[in-house]
């Protein structure tokens, strides 16, 4: 049986990921692609015990050291790794709102080492496509809800964006995220749909991070 496609959305806070992951899932379901239940999935998954701790951290009800926070965000992905692989193995496509790239980008922006940050997520299922929604910090900060959580301020977002720039590589599609949501959704569809069709016809194994795309060792 052909496996499902792993589609990941990344970007700064308020770049439109939540809207676009939803529209992407709606679009895929109309085309008849077999989808995992309850999409889009998202990281952090705030429903697990680890995710509850991360939620209190992000809403500033708990303090965590940067290393501890990084490892908890990563652990929150590892606790879903088998579920993701199983869904893909059943031929179900999975759409994620944030993934390990956010983990690295936010932690490196706080000053942690790139290599140390990459190590925690090494071996997770590798996305077939990373859709990066590009929205300038000035536009994102003007959107409703910006500033509600930890890290949602311009200086941090600029540093996070600079790390994302270093992570962009093979398998990434940078999509202009400004404009009407329907227009952005069309741009997303233009990059996602060919990948879904290619994966469906290929019958290969799901890869592992940090295979092609992001170098394993980075300064
Ligand atoms: N975040 C998210 C991290 O710092 N590390 C991670 O590994 C992940 C997945 O959580 N500001 C941060 C980025 C966001 C915040 O995400 C919550 P969202 O998509 O804004 O709810
Ligand atoms: Mg946010």
């Amino acid at each position: 049986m052909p496996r499902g496609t792993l589609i990941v959305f990344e970007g700064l806070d308020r770049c439109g990921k939540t809207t676009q992951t939803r529209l992407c899932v709606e679009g895929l379901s109309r085309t008849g692609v077999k989808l995992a239940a309850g999409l889009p999935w998202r990281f952090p998954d705030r429903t697990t015990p680890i995710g509850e701790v991360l939620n209190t951290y992000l809403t500033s009800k708990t303090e965590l050291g940067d290393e501890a926070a990084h490892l908890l965000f990563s652990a929150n992905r590892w606790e879903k790794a088998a579920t993701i692989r199983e869904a893909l193995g059943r031929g179900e496509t999975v759409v994620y709102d944030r993934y390990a790239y956010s983990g690295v980008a936010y932690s490196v922006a706080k000053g942690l080492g790139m290599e140390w940050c990459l190590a925690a997520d090494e071996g997770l299922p590798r996305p077939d496509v990373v859709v990066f929604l590009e929205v300038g910090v000035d536009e994102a900060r003007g959107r409703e809800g910006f500033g509600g959580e930890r890290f949602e301020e311009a200086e941090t977002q600029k540093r996070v964006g600079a790390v994302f720039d270093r992570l962009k590589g093979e398998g990434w599609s940078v999509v202009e995220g400004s404009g009407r949501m329907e227009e952005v959704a069309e741009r997303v569809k233009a990059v996602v749909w060919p990948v879904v069709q290619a994966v469906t016809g290929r019958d290969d194994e799901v890869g592992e991070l940090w295979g092609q795309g992001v170098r394993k060792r980075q300064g």
Side-chain angles (χ1 to χ4, degrees):
M1 193 202 331
R3 69 172 176 89
T5 308
L6 180 53
I7 302 164
V8 163
F9 283 72
E10 289 283 8
L12 299 179
D13 286 286
R14 299 295 142 182
C15 70
K17 284 184 307 303
T18 304
T19 302
Q20 291 304 325
T21 49
R22 177 174 57 76
L23 294 174
C24 177
V25 170
E26 287 171 11
L28 288 171
S29 66
R30 278 195 298 273
T31 61
V33 170
K34 193 170 165 193
L35 298 175
L39 295 180
W41 293 351
R42 61 185 307 142
F43 285 124
D45 175 350
R46 303 188 195 214
T47 66
T48 71
I50 292 169
E52 284 173 28
V53 174
L54 290 170
N55 186 50
T56 60
Y57 169 68
L58 288 167
T59 53
S60 298
K61 297 185 189 89
T62 309
E63 292 303 314
L64 288 172
D66 294 341
E67 291 87 352
H70 182 77
L71 295 176
L72 287 175
F73 277 110
S74 176
N76 187 232
R77 285 183 283 278
W78 278 107
E79 59 185 350
K80 297 291 277 200
T83 306
I84 298 168
R85 280 192 188 279
E86 283 159 17
L88 296 172
R90 285 193 299 268
E92 296 168 7
T93 283
V94 172
V95 178
Y96 256 106
D97 181 343
R98 294 195 188 274
Y99 202 63
Y101 311 91
S102 279
V104 174
Y106 283 78
S107 290
V108 171
K110 295 173 192 167
L112 297 183
M114 177 72 91
E115 206 178 313
W116 188 88
C117 290
L118 288 168
D121 289 301
E122 196 172 321
L124 284 174
R126 184 160 66 86
D128 295 296
V129 61
V130 180
V131 180
F132 186 82
L133 288 179
E134 187 93 60
V135 168
V137 172
D138 291 328
E139 181 170 346
R141 77 206 285 198
R143 292 185 174 184
E144 199 183 330
F146 186 86
E149 288 197 336
R150 199 186 283 266
F151 314 132
E152 292 187 0
E153 40 87 24
E155 276 317 305
T156 304
Q157 296 291 314
K158 280 182 186 149
R159 285 201 303 278
V160 172
V163 187
F164 273 129
D165 285 341
R166 292 169 65 189
L167 294 173
K168 286 172 188 164
E170 202 183 312
W172 282 58
S173 287
V174 178
V175 169
E176 174 57 52
S178 53
R180 287 173 46 244
M181 70 180 192
E182 295 83 0
E183 285 164 11
V184 179
E186 280 302 315
R187 290 179 210 134
V188 169
K189 188 179 165 195
V191 303
V192 164
W193 187 234
V195 176
V196 172
Q197 285 176 309
V199 170
T200 305
R202 230 173 27 216
D203 200 20
D204 62 349
E205 294 283 300
V206 180
E208 288 188 358
L209 290 181
W210 297 96
Q212 297 147 305
V214 176
R215 280 180 296 137
K216 199 160 167 182
R217 306 234 163 256
Q218 218 167 53

